[in-house]
Amino acid sequence: MERLEVDGGRVVEYVVEGPAGGRPLVMHHGTPGVAMTLAPIAEAAARHGLRFVTHSRPGYRDSTPQPGRRVADVAGDVAVLLDALGADEFVTLGWSGGGPHALACAALLPERCRAAATVAGVAPYDADGLDWLAGMGEDNVVEFGAAANGKDALEAFLAEAGAGLKDVQADDIVAAFGDLLSEVDQAALRGGLADFLAASCRAAVSRGYDGWRDDDLAFLSPWGIDLAGIGVPVSIWQGDQDRMVPGGHGRWLGDHVAGATIQLVPGEGHLSLIHNVDDIVARLAGA
């Protein structure tokens, strides 16, 4: 784990793995989450000569909180991180809550970002023609209902929901996520993702809920980016068994992100899309 000072003296923690001379693949973690090595993606990146880079968004673990941050604000932190790594160009991947942040990098760092991918990423809350909550598991409906009612309501929700994640272990993760997990996602957890997800959740709430809160509020607020103006290749990956971010989000993004190609993968959920990691990374590496 490395730490970097960005604007105003904030600290951002980050992880780098892979070939030193490789183009960075900047991965944006989900919500809640932290900078951790997700082995299947890091290994795929290395096979394609890419460096795996990920950072904890403000408010998660040792990254200084940034109250009121927008999705667009991630681009400034990524630019500083790339400068510190001596990298002129990069590709980027965002999973789930990381999806909007990958799109922000594509939109706001066009001179450096060569390609982006969103994997089960959320669409804007004000997306015209999209019922944003339709198809989500009940826990997400309650969570984002609280977020829509403002900071105080959301903090009350997170204090209760987050308490169950502070000591969560791999064997507990299916129960902890309840009806958010389709059968195919439960199977993916049993296939090895449970340890990673439990560790990431524990770390994400280890210093409180600032990062989680500010992610949710940012998703429901204007993102500060022009999706129709993105000028780099973007691939949108979405499973039809996803109860965290339902398929409608992926279809909407595919229709509204300039130049996007959409990969609707039958039979996959939110987590089981990891089975497609080689294809996802290969598209980024080929840009």
Side-chain angles (χ1 to χ4, degrees):
M1 186 69 62
E2 305 286 345
R3 288 169 180 78
L4 177 69
E5 186 172 307
V6 294
D7 67 280
R10 286 190 298 110
V11 171
V12 170
E13 63 174 21
Y14 67 97
V15 171
V16 179
E17 289 193 12
R23 176 187 287 174
L25 187 164
V26 177
M27 178 180 168
H28 302 270
H29 62 72
T31 302
V34 294
M36 288 181 62
T37 300
L38 182 51
I41 294 180
E43 291 166 2
R47 285 194 296 273
H48 289 279
L50 301 173
R51 272 188 293 175
F52 176 85
V53 180
T54 186
H55 72 285
S56 296
R57 289 191 290 277
Y60 284 116
R61 199 163 54 190
D62 288 341
S63 286
T64 309
Q66 187 184 15
R69 61 178 165 89
R70 302 180 303 163
V71 167
D73 292 333
V74 73
D77 288 353
V78 168
V80 175
L81 177 54
L82 292 171
D83 290 344
L85 296 175
D88 294 328
E89 299 180 350
F90 73 108
V91 294
T92 188
L93 183 159
W95 204 300
S96 189
H101 298 90
L103 293 174
C105 289
L108 300 176
L109 300 173
E111 71 287 356
R112 304 179 79 167
C113 183
R114 291 294 166 258
T118 73
V119 183
V122 295
Y125 188 64
D126 61 356
D128 185 32
L130 174 66
D131 185 344
W132 205 82
L133 295 174
M136 285 190 183
E138 182 63 22
D139 286 352
N140 268 12
V141 172
V142 173
E143 176 179 342
F144 287 110
N149 285 324
K151 178 181 174 182
D152 290 344
L154 179 58
E155 287 182 339
F157 169 86
L158 295 179
E160 181 175 349
L165 296 181
K166 286 185 175 180
D167 299 307
V168 70
Q169 301 297 316
D171 290 345
D172 310 322
I173 205 74
V174 170
F177 278 77
D179 74 342
L180 294 176
L181 297 176
S182 60
E183 290 186 8
V184 69
D185 280 334
Q186 293 182 37
L189 285 170
R190 290 191 292 271
L193 279 180
D195 287 324
F196 171 86
L197 188 57
S200 180
C201 287
R202 291 195 304 270
V205 301
S206 61
R207 304 282 195 275
Y209 311 116
D210 287 355
W212 191 354
R213 176 200 64 207
D214 293 339
D215 266 0
D216 282 1
L217 295 175
F219 298 146
L220 270 58
S221 303
W223 289 2
I225 60 176
D226 177 16
L227 296 178
I230 292 176
V232 304
V234 178
S235 56
I236 311 291
W237 296 80
Q238 180 70 51
D240 64 359
Q241 301 299 309
D242 193 333
R243 293 185 53 77
M244 294 191 193
V245 181
H249 287 244
R251 289 189 292 272
W252 191 96
L253 288 170
D255 290 339
H256 291 83
V257 174
T261 58
I262 184 165
Q263 308 295 320
L264 295 174
V265 188
E268 299 290 15
H270 192 80
L271 304 174
S272 68
L273 280 170
I274 197 72
H275 299 149
N276 298 272
V277 65
D278 283 318
D279 288 342
I280 295 168
V281 174
R283 285 171 180 260
L284 292 173

